[in-house]
Amino acid sequence: MAIAILGSIVFGAYFVYSGFNHFKNEKMLTGYAKSKQVPSPRLAVLGTGALMILGGLGFILQMYFQESAVLLLIFLVPTTFMMHQFWKVSDPAHKMNEQINFMKNIALIGALLMML
């Protein structure tokens, strides 16, 4: 039981930290989102930051697991396919970086689906 609680806290902290980074680095991330042709990039950065914080807090506080998982899926699914299109990248180093991030997000999506 203690290991499951620790795992949930670590899992949630990853998203809370990433969500706060969206607010801390909003201008830089807005530019990055704009370069990926994300509609309303500033709103997308702030909205996804909020989704990550709220979803992560649910896991940290051990509350609303299903709702938290859904919030994180709402963030992860479109982000994965919009931001990490490794199949469109020609530079090998950049392509590898995008593929790693894409596969990491796929693994997180899989973990969230198991939690549901």
Side-chain angles (χ1 to χ4, degrees):
M1 182 68 156
I3 292 175
I5 292 170
L6 178 61
S8 181
I9 291 168
V10 170
F11 188 78
Y14 168 80
F15 287 103
V16 170
Y17 176 79
S18 296
F20 276 118
N21 270 338
H22 274 222
F23 290 96
K24 181 181 170 190
N25 301 307
E26 175 252 322
K27 284 188 178 189
M28 178 189 68
L29 291 173
T30 296
Y32 181 62
K34 188 175 182 180
S35 77
K36 299 283 190 164
Q37 288 82 44
V38 172
S40 304
R42 182 173 184 271
L43 182 60
V45 167
L46 297 176
T48 56
L51 286 170
M52 286 189 283
I53 291 170
L54 291 172
L57 283 174
F59 284 97
I60 291 171
L61 299 173
Q62 303 289 291
M63 302 168 52
Y64 306 107
F65 285 110
Q66 288 188 324
E67 293 85 351
S68 296
V70 169
L71 289 175
L72 294 174
L73 285 167
I74 290 169
F75 156 68
L76 276 170
V77 172
T79 299
T80 299
F81 290 94
M82 291 179 78
M83 301 300 289
H84 303 298
Q85 299 176 353
F86 66 90
W87 54 91
K88 291 184 175 181
V89 179
S90 57
D91 175 63
H94 186 212
K95 181 176 188 147
M96 182 174 25
N97 187 49
E98 291 294 351
Q99 188 171 12
I100 288 167
N101 283 308
F102 181 89
M103 296 308 294
K104 172 201 45 109
N105 284 5
I106 293 296
L108 288 169
I109 290 167
L112 287 164
L113 291 172
M114 285 190 297
M115 291 177 201
L116 285 175

